[in-house]
């Protein structure tokens, strides 16, 4: 239910932004219907709940620590994460490139350390937990013509000098395999396929 509410809030914001922004493409209701909860009552979804753990290891002791999780985007709709108070690993997201950088050759853009931003989290989990929400590739493509919401490029790096293990509960939200989705194509067209067909293209 929480994940459904988050997805619905994102879609509502995308519709509002498209309505307010002049020249922005409108959001067709059928495009978002597949994301607004589970109307069929089926539980054959592809969401995955997993526990991720990061501990001090050899990569923390290198002169130039390597990443614990390489830069990537998540495939599904959204990812919801909640972290404990461990401090040996840090989640980072890629900042939006400037216009100046967009005009340059960015073959090594993922290696530019200045482009990575730490995701700030509270030192302890409060009674009302703070979730980190990543936009996934599927949601980004569905809303691409209206909101320009990119899927979140992120990574995990070791935090040198810190020793407390960090644990993260991650919910990767997906759709039912046979759920029909509409991917905008060109200025006015769209491509219709099932979520499973979309996943096989990845």
């Amino acid at each position: 239910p929480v994940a459904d509410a988050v997805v619905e809030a994102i879609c509502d914001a995308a519709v509002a932004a498209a309505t307010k922004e002049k020249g922005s493409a409108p959001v067709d209701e059928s495009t978002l219907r597949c994301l607004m909860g589970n109307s069929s009552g089926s539980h054959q979804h592809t969401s995955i709940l997993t526990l991720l753990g990061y501990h001090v290891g050899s990569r923390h002791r290198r002169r130039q620590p390597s990443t614990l999780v390489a830069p990537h985007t998540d495939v599904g709709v959204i990812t919801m994460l909640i972290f404990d108070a461990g401090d040996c690993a840090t989640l980072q997201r890629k900042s939006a490139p400037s216009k100046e950088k967009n005009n340059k050759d960015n073959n090594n853009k993922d290696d530019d350390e200045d482009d990575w931003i730490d995701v700030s989290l509270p030192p302890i989990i409060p009674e009302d937990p703070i979730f980190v929400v990543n936009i996934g590739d599927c949601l980004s493509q569905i809303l691409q013509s209206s909101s320009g919401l990119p899927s979140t490029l992120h990574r995990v790096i070791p935090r040198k000098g810190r020793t407390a293990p960090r644990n993260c509960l991650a919910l990767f939200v997906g759709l039912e395999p046979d759920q029909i989705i509409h991917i905008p194509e060109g200025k006015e067209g769209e491509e219709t396929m099932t979520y499973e067909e979309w996943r096989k293209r990845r």
Side-chain angles (χ1 to χ4, degrees):
V2 175
D4 287 343
V6 171
V7 173
E8 187 167 349
I10 293 172
C11 292
D12 286 344
V15 171
T19 303
K20 185 177 180 181
E21 189 72 24
K22 291 182 179 180
S24 179
V27 181
D28 184 73
E29 184 180 349
S30 64
T31 302
L32 300 182
R33 193 176 296 124
C34 64
L35 302 173
M36 300 295 196
N38 186 0
S39 59
S40 67
S42 171
H43 296 285
Q44 301 301 315
H45 55 74
T46 55
S47 299
I48 298 172
L49 181 65
T50 187
L51 180 64
L52 307 173
Y54 306 100
H55 302 267
V56 174
S58 60
R59 281 178 284 187
H60 284 75
R61 293 185 282 271
R62 294 175 184 173
R63 182 174 297 178
Q64 297 255 343
S66 58
T67 57
L68 300 176
V69 178
H72 67 285
T73 58
D74 294 334
V75 174
V77 180
I78 62 170
T79 304
M80 295 184 62
L81 309 104
I82 185 168
F83 291 82
D84 66 7
D87 60 6
C88 75
T90 298
L91 175 67
Q92 292 186 324
R93 66 176 179 83
K94 192 73 178 291
S95 64
S98 65
K99 290 182 180 180
E100 182 180 349
K101 286 190 177 182
N102 278 335
N103 293 330
K104 292 182 179 180
D105 180 6
N106 283 327
N107 289 332
N108 295 320
K109 61 182 179 180
D110 289 347
D111 297 325
D112 190 345
E113 295 300 317
D114 293 336
D115 287 345
W116 291 97
I117 300 172
D118 290 355
V119 177
S120 298
L121 299 168
I124 59 172
I125 300 176
E127 292 183 4
D128 185 13
I130 295 175
F131 290 93
V132 175
V133 178
N134 290 335
I135 301 294
D137 294 340
C138 182
L139 180 59
S140 180
Q141 286 194 23
I142 289 174
L143 297 177
Q144 64 182 310
S145 64
S146 58
S147 67
L149 278 175
S151 50
T152 309
L153 182 62
H154 56 286
R155 69 180 186 179
V156 179
I157 63 166
R159 184 61 70 192
K160 205 167 183 180
R162 306 295 177 89
T163 59
R166 163 153 276 186
N167 298 293
C168 167
L169 192 63
L171 174 62
F172 299 90
V173 179
L175 300 174
E176 297 175 16
D178 59 353
Q179 175 65 61
I180 299 297
I181 61 175
H182 307 274
I183 305 296
E185 192 175 63
K187 290 185 177 181
E188 298 181 356
E190 67 177 24
E191 188 175 5
T192 301
M193 67 190 78
T194 66
Y195 182 65
E196 184 174 12
E197 288 171 339
W198 180 85
R199 284 291 303 263
K200 288 180 178 179
R201 293 187 177 190
R202 306 301 297 165

